[in-house]
Structures are given as C-alpha cells and as structure tokens.
Amino acid sequence: MPKKKEELDLRLIKSLSENCRKSITQIAKEVRISRPTAIARINALSKKEIIDFDAKINIAKLGFKLISVHFELQKEEETKSLLAKLLICPRILQLFQEVGKNRFTAVMFAENAETMMSAVECLRTALNVNIASWERIICLKGESFGLKIALDKCEKTPCGRECGTCISFQQSECLGCPSTEDYKGPL
C-alpha cells in the first residue's frame, strides 16, 4: 500500500490516464487501496481541478484542420475584455499567454481552408488583435480536444459579429461560427 498521499494520488492519476473508463473496483485493485479510498481521492483530485473527466473530441477524425495563431494585444486595459471573448470562442481549442507579456498563441480549428482564413481574419478585424503569424499545424500527440458545442444557436458570434453580414460567409467561402444560427458546418 502507498505510504504518502502524493504517491497514492500519482498512482491514481497514472491508472486513470491509462484508461479513465476503468471501474473504481479495477482502479482500487491496481493502486492497492480500498474502493472508498479510491473514490475519496479521485473526488478530491477532481475538486482541486487536478484531474477532469470532460469528453474530448478527436479533431483529425472529424476532418477539421488546426491552426496556430500568434498575436499580441496592444492595449493592456482592453486585455481582460478581449480575453473573455477569446475564451468563449467556439473555434479556439487552447489559448496560451507568454509569461509576463501581452503575446498569445491560440490553437484553433476550422472545417476547411476558406473557413480557416476567415477565422483568422475575424480575429484580426472583430477583436482588433495584432496577428504576428499563423500557420496550419498537425497534432503529433493528442488529437483530442474539448469542443464548445452550442446547442442553442445565437444570432451573433461570441465576439459580436453576424455571420450573415460577412462577405466570406455570403460567398460560401466560410461556414460561419459554430455558435450561430447561420452556421453551415457539421457542429
């Protein structure tokens, strides 16, 4: 039996990371602890947000493309409101900030090349961010991400745009924002 709580937590995390759909009985047996102890420690780790059990979607299997967008926010006083919009954008899978700087990297998805270019342009124009570069990327490890699926579609995008008024959308170059009623894609 593990001696330290930290060692026990690491064994639980290892077991869950191998297959998070294992039964509690199987996990407890692997880690050599009782079921109630396993349940309590997993609940504690989850409550502390050390582990989570969100469903992840394999982007490559859906045929989506990934892009990495590197940008800078010019006005620090606007950073908080811009970040709030970026964090709810359904196309942004991950958002990173350089330590101590106002520079960011967003990993985004798009259904096709035209929608990809439109999404980058939307960042530049709707949110007025200074895009340093962007490129298509592929996953070498971890093709699954948490997607923001909107069941209740809105008229406007989270960043405040209306897809129906966008030239790219009108010319069927862009599928639109997955959170809007206008969206023409699979989500």
Side-chain angles (χ1 to χ4, degrees):
M1 183 176 222
K3 295 177 183 166
K4 298 189 299 186
K5 188 191 293 189
E6 295 82 13
E7 182 184 338
L8 171 59
D9 290 347
L10 288 175
R11 288 176 185 247
L12 285 167
I13 292 168
K14 180 180 186 300
S15 179
L16 287 166
S17 66
E18 290 168 352
N19 179 2
C20 69
R21 297 181 68 183
K22 292 177 189 173
S23 70
I24 289 293
T25 302
Q26 186 178 354
I27 293 167
K29 187 176 180 179
E30 284 178 14
V31 180
R32 297 183 310 261
I33 57 176
S34 69
R35 288 182 78 250
T37 301
I39 292 168
R41 291 307 315 142
I42 289 170
N43 286 340
L45 290 168
S46 180
K47 187 175 181 177
K48 292 178 186 175
E49 297 181 354
I50 294 171
I51 60 173
D52 68 51
F53 296 97
D54 295 337
K56 307 290 186 215
I57 309 299
N58 188 313
I59 297 297
K61 298 268 187 207
L62 290 176
F64 293 157
K65 313 297 181 224
L66 290 176
I67 13 175
S68 176
V69 183
H70 312 279
F71 60 93
E72 193 167 347
L73 299 178
Q74 296 298 323
K75 300 177 182 175
E76 288 198 39
E77 62 274 5
E78 294 177 5
T79 299
K80 200 175 217 178
S81 65
L82 285 173
L83 284 178
K85 289 180 181 179
L86 291 167
L87 290 171
I88 60 173
C89 175
R91 292 205 175 277
I92 294 180
L93 301 171
Q94 293 183 326
L95 184 61
F96 303 94
Q97 180 177 8
E98 290 183 30
V99 176
K101 298 180 181 163
N102 224 19
R103 291 195 297 247
F104 302 84
T105 299
V107 176
M108 302 175 68
F109 79 91
E111 296 81 355
N112 55 43
E114 292 84 4
T115 302
M116 183 186 307
M117 290 188 297
S118 182
V120 171
E121 184 62 17
C122 187
L123 270 181
R124 191 181 68 70
T125 58
L127 298 177
N128 198 27
V129 300
N130 182 19
I131 296 177
S133 67
W134 67 276
E135 52 273 331
R136 252 287 262 90
I137 58 174
I138 57 171
C139 288
L140 298 178
K141 180 180 179 185
E143 295 176 328
S144 296
F145 298 89
L147 289 181
K148 298 173 194 96
I149 308 265
L151 297 179
D152 298 321
K153 305 292 186 177
C154 305
E155 287 184 30
K156 289 187 176 186
T157 66
C159 61
R161 298 197 60 173
E162 293 182 37
C163 290
T165 63
C166 174
I167 301 288
S168 295
F169 183 81
Q170 291 171 359
Q171 295 177 352
S172 298
E173 293 175 351
C174 176
L175 297 177
C177 176
S179 66
T180 66
E181 296 166 349
D182 293 328
Y183 180 63
K184 299 176 187 172
L187 300 176

